[in-house]
Amino acid sequence: MADLPNDADIVVVGGGIVGCSLVYHLAKAGWRNILLLEKHQIGSGTTWHSAALVTVLRGSPTLAALARYSARLYASLERETGQATGWRQNGHLTLAASKQRLESLRHSVSVARSFDLDVEMIGPAEIARQWPLLNTEDLHGALWSPSSGQTNPTDTCQALLKGARTLGARIVEKAAVEGFDIANGELKGVRTRGGTIRCGKAVISCGLWSRQVAGMAGVAAPLYACEHLYLLTDTIAGVTSNLPAVRDSDAYLYMREDVGGLLVGCFEPNPKPLPLERLPENTSFVLFEEDWDHFEPMMQNAVHRVPALGSAGVRSFINGPESFTLDGAPLVGESPEVRGLYVAAGMNSSGVVYGGGVGWALTEWITTGRPPIDLWTVDVRRYAPADNTLKALSERIPEVLAKHFEIPWPGMDYETLRGVRRTPLHAALAARGAHFTQRAGWERPAWFAVGEPPALTPSYGPTGWFPLWQEEHHAARNAVAVFDQTPFSKLLLQGRDSEAFLQRICANDLGLPVHGVVYTPILNKAGGIESDLTVTRLGAETFLLVTGSQQSTRDSHWLRSHFEPQENLCLADVTSAYAVIGVCGPHSRDLLARVSSADFSNASFPFQTAQPIEIGYARAIAIRVSYSGELGWELYVPAEFAVSVFEALAHAGAEWSMRLAGVNAMGSLRIERGFRSWGHDIGPTVTPLEAGIGFAVDFEKPQAFIGREALLRQREQNLSRRLLSFVFDSAEVFPHHHEPVYRDGVRCGSVSSASFGHTLGRAVALGWVTGASVDAASLARSSFEIEVADRRHPVAAHLKAPVDPAGLRMRG
Ligand SMILES: Cc1cc2nc3c(=O)[nH]c(=O)nc-3n(C[C@H](O)[C@H](O)[C@H](O)COP(=O)(O)OP(=O)(O)OC[C@H]3O[C@@H](n4cnc5c(N)ncnc54)[C@H](O)[C@@H]3O)c2cc1C
């Protein structure tokens, strides 16, 4: 091992494509004392044997932006550094060998357009023209993505390092990191056999070893490996270097040209998990045995698609390790456990696709304190510590690989790792027909079967459970519905300085009376929405903060990282202590009055207040808020009393035709009512003024709050984007999310949430409109369309919610 320096400004641990991209971007961003430590040799982990396709077509705007950045970077690196990368922009064809796949690709093509990708649907004749060796007999069409390409992963790493070295970055091979020095939750150094390097910042980019390396610092990086295979053939007549890559998802296959032959890879339906113990210790360039039996079904599919493969010789069989995450997206960002220690790993067989982009985005995050784009989809803080158990990872991860090529039907759920995080009401709800869906590990009722359960045939349009969803929605609007909202994250903030702290952190006025309730955004310095919370003052020095089910780690981290040393504050996650039973609808008051001695009238229990109440045998906190737009209360019931309270409600509810309702009904209710959802409609890159929730910002409160200056500046200017509600003209269109919005024929934004709106009798959406004039008058003069599945549909745009715009119903 070369001599190591005593200190560095930043240490990058692991020299695969991600680590190389990081040092390149850090050097370009002006960091000087940069050190990359690689245990073996650059690229010798997973990167060297990557198929290195750079498919820009991705399912979320974040992933698409990272991929697009990578493609552009790889295309320019050779020019910049003089080091060849092997980049070729041949484009990618995603084939549809079934009508369902064709329908799915039509949805994808529209979504891709909303991510600014250049894409189109083509027919079998054009496919045959582009790829004469393909059997197109059973093909219905394909999605053509000309900006996708392929690269040589090893040469690309070398080009990135050449660029970084020119700017002074130091790269040391054969230098394994063996531990971290941490004091008071802050990184102080990185330990190696050759000594400790003092540093305040380090990034773990150790690929599939990242969970183990992060574990040395007590940091959770939930990822797990699988075997991942492809074969390389000898040359095949007609295979030319300009052929697009092909993905035949129905056959679990992808293919690309490789030195005149084909690389044939797969995402098989029965992947093989790879516990770390099976990897040889201290070995680089690891490959596993050639498993021909495992590959055989895919090979048969490949020969069907490219008959010339039947007579081609096989040059080599690659079976390498690669890591995946619980939801198929990477893990990026500062660890919530250790200040200054970052993670960039879990690439889900797309490390070359994302590597360039992750290096760029994380560098900017580390350098400026804020990422350049909304990174929530990949934020390492979307997980809770329990998600990092080996049992959970080993069960779910093979399914993640297997689902890679499956049709992404709306509402698709994983089948593994189910039923492990249940609310106290789970059994009672299951007995009453709940069909569960999963979020943040929680099982949440999606809808309730009444009588015979409906067929679960997946669909982009109405499904078997559509009528049940409709009935639950109408029950909430017209009678009373009960929701299990337990998965909400609940944080208890206590201490002498809690009010002052919240006044500094929150944009709304937190100078609440005891039992006052307020909805508030938490902003970053640029005015972007880091979270939105419902805050209830439970006592002079005690506040209950309620946020989204997946946000407890992230929001706790944000809050704690803003604590000042002299402040008297204590933050505890009390999510598991309380069940939350939502009761909403015009008869919610009647129902609650039947089971509780409290007075639920407007005079005694006004909107946005809370009260400790007796309900059944329990004492609970009732909070009068509404996410459905209807009169309603959320009951925070100590977990052990939840079932008896629920039973009392269920028993009394028959009088008002009470329905149990699921998250699908809550979704359609809230979108009709125009309520924003963090992580969908709002996030760190949009401000409350743009999002139309300026009512939740109190510019007049005496305390300065984070983001105030930025919002004041924005208030003086014309907005350049706005979040609007849209209602479709036709009742036959079913949008989901991310569809492009057109204004007077020109694409101007995209849908952030959509649902069928059962009150409106047609689909309803929230979506962004960007442009020079987004004031009410000019919006009113424009005509709007939304593109769903490659067809545009007229919609009416509303600045206010299409249902109950004045919010009278919830004020009861
Ligand atoms: C068969 C196959 C096909 C693939 N095809 C594609 C594709 O077409 N497109 C695509 O985008 N992706 C593809 N991938 C995935 C892609 O190769 C990976 O996602 C990517 O290479 C991961 O890069 P990385 O930098 O995160 O990890 P790695 O390349 O594994 O680098 C991590 C490095 O960290 C080092 N390290 C580990 N522990 C320590 C330590 N304690 N101290 C210091 N260093 C340490 C390792 O030695 C290693 O070099 C494929 C993968 C496989 C297996």
Side-chain angles (χ1 to χ4, degrees), residues 274-337:
L274 181 57
L276 219 46
E277 309 86 80
R278 270 194 54 214
L279 279 163
E281 271 277 329
N282 282 325
T283 313
S284 51
F285 300 104
V286 175
L287 287 181
F288 295 95
E289 66 279 4
E290 299 180 359
D291 189 342
W292 286 102
D293 288 346
H294 190 72
F295 200 71
E296 176 60 23
M298 271 71 68
M299 197 56 211
Q300 284 182 14
N301 292 344
V303 173
H304 167 77
R305 187 57 62 217
V306 182
L309 273 170
S311 52
V314 173
R315 188 155 42 97
S316 58
F317 188 119
I318 300 286
N319 179 2
E322 166 65 346
S323 61
F324 296 80
T325 60
L326 293 163
D327 61 0
L331 307 172
V332 181
E334 188 175 27
S335 72
E337 296 92 347

Side-chain angles (χ1 to χ4, degrees), residues 526-577:
I529 306 168
E530 290 290 336
S531 185
D532 64 334
L533 314 170
T534 302
V535 182
T536 301
R537 187 171 206 149
L538 295 179
E541 297 180 357
T542 304
F543 291 82
L544 177 67
L545 281 46
V546 178
T547 172
S549 55
Q550 209 173 1
Q551 286 160 248
S552 62
T553 307
R554 187 183 196 281
D555 287 358
S556 302
H557 178 245
W558 178 271
L559 294 168
R560 284 209 177 88
S561 61
H562 286 85
F563 284 5
E564 296 292 345
Q566 75 284 1
E567 280 179 322
N568 179 269
L569 293 167
C570 173
L571 185 72
D573 187 335
V574 296
T575 302
S576 306

Side-chain angles (χ1 to χ4, degrees), residues 303-540:
V303 173
H304 167 77
R305 187 57 62 217
V306 182
L309 273 170
S311 52
V314 173
R315 188 155 42 97
S316 58
F317 188 119
I318 300 286
N319 179 2
E322 166 65 346
S323 61
F324 296 80
T325 60
L326 293 163
D327 61 0
L331 307 172
V332 181
E334 188 175 27
S335 72
E337 296 92 347
V338 179
R339 258 195 319 284
L341 187 56
Y342 296 78
V343 177
M347 293 293 143
N348 293 276
S349 199
S350 301
V352 182
V353 176
Y354 300 134
V358 165
W360 156 67
L362 185 54
T363 291
E364 202 157 321
W365 197 352
I366 296 170
T367 310
T368 67
R370 251 201 338 269
I373 54 172
D374 182 350
L375 287 184
W376 173 234
T377 309
V378 298
D379 194 327
V380 66
R381 295 169 300 174
R382 70 191 184 279
Y383 290 114
D387 297 316
N388 197 29
T389 61
L390 269 184
K391 187 161 171 56
L393 292 165
S394 62
E395 284 177 21
R396 164 64 62 80
I397 292 310
E399 193 191 358
V400 174
L401 191 158
K403 279 222 157 48
H404 197 78
F405 275 2
E406 270 192 17
I407 293 179
W409 295 109
M412 179 210 86
D413 265 319
Y414 287 104
E415 285 157 32
T416 52
L417 216 61
R418 299 304 303 267
V420 295
R421 197 173 187 194
R422 305 178 214 178
T423 76
L425 299 182
H426 185 91
L429 299 177
R432 287 164 171 84
H435 176 86
F436 292 95
T437 180
Q438 199 180 45
R439 183 173 181 134
W442 287 102
E443 297 293 342
R444 311 178 306 163
W447 42 266
F448 288 81
V450 178
E452 197 58 29
L456 294 177
T457 321
S459 166
Y460 280 91
T463 51
W465 44 266
F466 187 89
L468 296 164
W469 171 26
Q470 188 173 37
E471 285 165 19
E472 291 169 21
H473 179 109
H474 286 312
R477 286 268 184 262
N478 304 317
V480 59
V482 165
F483 294 84
D484 182 5
Q485 297 176 298
T486 304
F488 280 159
S489 298
K490 306 161 206 95
L491 306 173
L492 197 67
L493 182 72
Q494 293 179 290
R496 239 184 0 259
D497 297 308
S498 45
E499 180 182 329
F501 170 76
L502 288 174
Q503 287 289 33
R504 187 171 83 241
I505 296 295
C506 299
N508 215 336
D509 185 2
L510 270 291
L512 299 168
V514 172
H515 298 141
V517 178
V518 74
Y519 167 71
T520 179
I522 289 183
L523 307 179
N524 55 39
K525 284 189 187 139
I529 306 168
E530 290 290 336
S531 185
D532 64 334
L533 314 170
T534 302
V535 182
T536 301
R537 187 171 206 149
L538 295 179

Side-chain angles (χ1 to χ4, degrees), residues 72-282:
R72 288 182 185 156
L73 173 71
Y74 303 155
S76 67
L77 265 182
E78 180 170 349
R79 208 169 39 246
E80 181 193 325
T81 63
Q83 160 75 50
T85 58
W87 170 255
R88 267 189 276 154
Q89 191 181 320
N90 289 1
H92 289 188
L93 279 171
T94 307
L95 309 178
S98 65
K99 287 202 167 132
Q100 290 95 325
R101 180 72 63 180
L102 186 71
E103 187 192 1
S104 169
L105 291 183
R106 286 201 175 117
H107 281 270
S108 300
V109 87
S110 295
V111 167
R113 281 189 192 116
S114 88
F115 301 159
D116 274 336
L117 298 174
D118 175 21
V119 279
E120 62 173 313
M121 294 301 295
I122 59 172
E126 175 59 14
I127 301 170
R129 194 195 64 73
Q130 291 203 25
W131 237 95
L133 292 182
L134 277 189
N135 168 10
T136 55
E137 256 172 39
D138 55 348
L139 293 182
H140 296 263
L143 197 164
W144 167 233
S145 159
S147 48
S148 294
Q150 67 189 60
T151 193
N152 176 316
T154 305
D155 291 348
T156 305
C157 284
Q158 291 307 332
L160 290 163
L161 291 189
K162 194 168 174 199
R165 280 198 188 97
T166 312
L167 293 166
R170 196 159 162 212
I171 320 299
V172 183
E173 295 182 316
K174 298 191 176 56
V177 166
E178 296 182 339
F180 297 91
D181 282 353
I182 297 158
N184 298 323
E186 199 167 330
L187 183 72
K188 297 292 176 194
V190 169
R191 279 188 252 139
T192 71
R193 196 158 294 169
T196 295
I197 298 119
R198 283 190 303 272
C199 62
K201 292 192 190 301
V203 188
I204 297 167
S205 52
C206 294
L208 64 96
W209 297 271
S210 297
R211 179 176 182 274
Q212 189 190 36
V213 175
M216 297 173 187
V219 163
L223 54 79
Y224 194 86
C226 279
E227 294 180 32
H228 199 31
L229 344 158
Y230 63 75
L231 58 77
L232 296 164
T233 72
D234 293 332
T235 52
I236 298 175
V239 171
T240 52
S241 62
N242 60 347
L243 274 186
V246 162
R247 174 192 275 209
D248 186 356
S249 311
D250 299 300
Y252 317 110
L253 285 176
Y254 65 91
M255 287 178 252
R256 70 159 170 82
E257 187 273 344
D258 192 90
V259 271
L262 285 177
L263 180 157
V264 182
C266 65
F267 284 86
E268 66 275 36
N270 55 339
K272 296 203 281 181
L274 181 57
L276 219 46
E277 309 86 80
R278 270 194 54 214
L279 279 163
E281 271 277 329
N282 282 325

Side-chain angles (χ1 to χ4, degrees), residues 507 519-524 526-531 676 682-683 685-697 699 705 707 711 714 719 723 768:
Y519 167 71
T520 179
I522 289 183
L523 307 179
N524 55 39
I529 306 168
E530 290 290 336
S531 185
R676 280 63 171 144
I682 55 177
T685 56
V686 299
T687 73
L689 303 182
E690 294 164 336
I693 55 167
F695 63 84
V697 177
F699 288 103
F705 58 89
L711 285 194
Q714 190 177 54
L719 292 175
L723 187 64
W768 284 95

Side-chain angles (χ1 to χ4, degrees), residues 469-754:
W469 171 26
Q470 188 173 37
E471 285 165 19
E472 291 169 21
H473 179 109
H474 286 312
R477 286 268 184 262
N478 304 317
V480 59
V482 165
F483 294 84
D484 182 5
Q485 297 176 298
T486 304
F488 280 159
S489 298
K490 306 161 206 95
L491 306 173
L492 197 67
L493 182 72
Q494 293 179 290
R496 239 184 0 259
D497 297 308
S498 45
E499 180 182 329
F501 170 76
L502 288 174
Q503 287 289 33
R504 187 171 83 241
I505 296 295
C506 299
N508 215 336
D509 185 2
L510 270 291
L512 299 168
V514 172
H515 298 141
V517 178
V518 74
Y519 167 71
T520 179
I522 289 183
L523 307 179
N524 55 39
K525 284 189 187 139
I529 306 168
E530 290 290 336
S531 185
D532 64 334
L533 314 170
T534 302
V535 182
T536 301
R537 187 171 206 149
L538 295 179
E541 297 180 357
T542 304
F543 291 82
L544 177 67
L545 281 46
V546 178
T547 172
S549 55
Q550 209 173 1
Q551 286 160 248
S552 62
T553 307
R554 187 183 196 281
D555 287 358
S556 302
H557 178 245
W558 178 271
L559 294 168
R560 284 209 177 88
S561 61
H562 286 85
F563 284 5
E564 296 292 345
Q566 75 284 1
E567 280 179 322
N568 179 269
L569 293 167
C570 173
L571 185 72
D573 187 335
V574 296
T575 302
S576 306
Y578 296 95
V580 183
I581 304 177
V583 183
C584 59
H587 288 303
S588 54
R589 179 175 279 141
D590 306 320
L591 171 58
L592 285 168
R594 185 62 56 86
V595 292
S596 168
S597 53
D599 179 352
F600 294 92
S601 65
N602 270 342
S604 300
F605 207 144
F607 185 59
Q608 291 198 322
T609 62
Q611 286 183 28
I613 61 166
E614 288 183 12
I615 181 162
Y617 301 103
R619 288 188 64 77
I621 304 162
I623 304 184
R624 188 170 165 197
V625 285
S626 172
Y627 200 40
S628 63
E630 295 302 320
L631 175 70
W633 281 261
E634 286 170 3
L635 309 175
Y636 288 70
V637 185
E640 67 274 31
F641 286 98
V643 173
S644 71
V645 170
F646 169 75
E647 284 168 350
L649 286 165
H651 181 71
E655 188 176 339
W656 296 279
S657 307
M658 183 200 100
R659 283 293 288 254
L660 298 177
V663 290
N664 291 1
M666 188 54 88
S668 52
L669 290 161
R670 74 105 185 150
I671 297 172
E672 281 186 338
R673 184 57 194 83
F675 287 145
R676 280 63 171 144
S677 166
W678 193 91
H680 297 274
D681 312 302
I682 55 177
T685 56
V686 299
T687 73
L689 303 182
E690 294 164 336
I693 55 167
F695 63 84
V697 177
D698 190 340
F699 288 103
E700 307 308 321
K701 72 176 184 181
Q703 301 85 352
F705 58 89
I706 298 173
R708 183 172 187 271
E709 298 308 315
L711 285 194
L712 282 174
R713 278 194 302 278
Q714 190 177 54
R715 209 167 57 158
E716 298 309 311
Q717 298 155 7
N718 292 329
L719 292 175
S720 59
R721 58 180 170 170
R722 278 182 103 150
L723 187 64
L724 304 183
S725 287
F726 295 100
V727 179
F728 283 72
D729 287 5
S730 161
E732 306 299 324
V733 190
F734 296 87
H736 297 282
H737 56 89
H738 300 323
E739 291 85 358
V741 178
Y742 295 82
R743 180 179 184 178
D744 300 324
V746 179
R747 189 159 57 78
C748 66
S750 63
V751 167
S752 50
S753 298

